[in-house]
Amino acid sequence: MTIEGLLDAFTNSVAATDWERAGRLLADGFFDHVPGEGEPTAPERIIPLIADLASAVPDLALRFDGLTGEGPEHQATFSLSGTHLGPLWGAPPTGAAVEWSNPITLRTDAGKLAFRFDDVAFPELVAALRQFGLINPADLMAEPPPYPVSVPEFVLKVVMTGQAGDRDCSHLSDIRVTEPTTRVCAACVAEGTNWPALRMCLSCGHVGCCDTSRNKHAKAHAEEAGHPLMRSIRMDESWAWCYVDDAFFEGRLLAGLAGRHG
Ligand SMILES: [Zn+2]
Ligand SMILES: [Zn+2]
Ligand SMILES: [Zn+2]
């Protein structure tokens, strides 16, 4: 099948919510990352996200405009649009039109599609996530979210690092504590300040408020103590982040360490 044929088949499968067919059109590997043993394949990651979107946006339409390139790589502008009529990841529907577009590079891999978003414009991406109510409005960023939003950690990873695979981090052997013993930012409590989310230091267990809070106590601790790795302890989140390497690790990192640390 040509790249045009593959893209048509893919957008038609999504429009028909035929997830099995859509999944069969995607290569098992990501554009820049071959999933390791026990790691979900690209279709296993991507199709559930599109299915979530389609349940929130029943008229979801995907487009690949301005396709260029003689292969093996092709460039296009990807866009998604529709009407936000159902809940998405804990955020209630707004009833409003939603749209996001970004340059994309495509490649065929044994007759299947692999893709990578290029030069993701962060303000536009944040605006798109705001359309879905997944990020607070700019003037309320330091406040707790109004409802229990739970964005899939794979989405957070791609948004925060721009890649599907793990970044190198030389600090994983520094992990000493994986479970929190407190559920407050003590420094914020002392001054009566609110926070959106909590992070826990994986070296010493210090709990502080996140990087969108007013005080950013978790990051301040990481810098002062020289403890680079933290995890989210918001709701049931357990992803980890290295401030030094800008590396994101999904919850299975800590799940794999469970029992080895207190
Ligand atoms: Zn690191
Ligand atoms: Zn620490
Ligand atoms: Zn704080």
Side-chain angles (χ1 to χ4, degrees), residues 76-91:
T77 299
F78 169 82
S79 60
L80 66 83
S81 60
T83 320
H84 185 197
L85 298 177
L88 181 65
W89 304 330

Side-chain angles (χ1 to χ4, degrees), residues 28 37 84 102 105 110 123 131 156 170 239:
D28 279 352
E37 201 174 324
H84 185 197
N102 202 81
T105 294
Q131 290 174 359
L156 295 175
S170 56
W239 53 265

